[in-house]
Amino acid sequence: MDGCLFCKIINGEISSEKVYEDGEMVALRDIAPQAPVHLLIIPKRHISGADGLRESDAALAGAILLTAKRLAEENSLENGWRVVTNVGEDGGQTVGHLHFHLLGGAKLGGFGGCVEGRG
Ligand code: 5GP
Ligand code: ZN
């Protein structure tokens, strides 16, 4: 999709540090890591976010989660890890192309679901 940052990364217009690629997704290092391991798993097809998923995307969504699991193993995250997808403005989504954060490599803080202003 024109003007989409992740579409540009996927088609190579913008460089990135890819750690995995197959026919339907890529995984790359987040430019501003929030944990020692912070990867983004991104479907190649432009989908606005988890709110843009359709029933027909069930296999894709499952494949992304299994990729997260495999990348966690490959990155030695045997102590634990987290997958997050932010949706929309209230969810803190800043790039409007579906992506899942894979975070690990240190003990992560409590669930980041606090309401702004309530700590
Ligand atoms: P969101 O806030 O939408 O959940 O996540 C977007 C993520 O994309 C952020 O963690 C941000 O650091 C990352 N990001 C933004 N621009 C770039 C970029 O040009 N390259 C890479 N690798 N990550 C980016
Ligand atoms: Zn896109």
Side-chain angles (χ1 to χ4, degrees):
M1 189 185 154
D2 274 359
C4 171
L5 175 67
F6 286 171
C7 283
K8 287 182 182 164
I9 284 179
I10 287 158
N11 70 26
E13 257 180 85
I14 294 175
S15 66
S16 67
E17 204 181 325
K18 281 192 190 126
V19 298
Y20 175 73
E21 178 166 13
D22 65 22
E24 53 188 0
M25 72 187 85
V26 298
L28 46 91
R29 294 198 186 284
D30 196 290
I31 205 169
Q34 304 297 310
V37 175
H38 186 171
L39 304 178
L40 300 173
I41 307 171
I42 311 174
K44 287 185 170 176
R45 180 160 54 88
H46 182 90
I47 299 171
S48 59
D51 52 350
L53 283 167
R54 301 178 183 161
E55 294 292 327
S56 55
D57 294 320
L60 172 66
I64 287 173
L65 193 52
L66 288 169
T67 295
K69 178 200 161 196
R70 209 181 51 257
L71 289 170
E73 287 165 0
E74 285 174 17
N75 283 272
S76 306
L77 302 183
E78 53 276 327
N79 240 11
W81 43 281
R82 181 177 292 168
V83 170
V84 175
T85 189
N86 297 321
V87 182
E89 195 181 340
D90 280 3
Q93 183 178 5
T94 60
V95 179
H97 180 135
L98 178 64
H99 53 282
F100 292 79
H101 301 257
L102 171 63
L103 299 148
K107 190 157 179 66
L108 301 170
F111 179 67
C114 60
V115 174
E116 215 167 285
R118 287 195 218 162

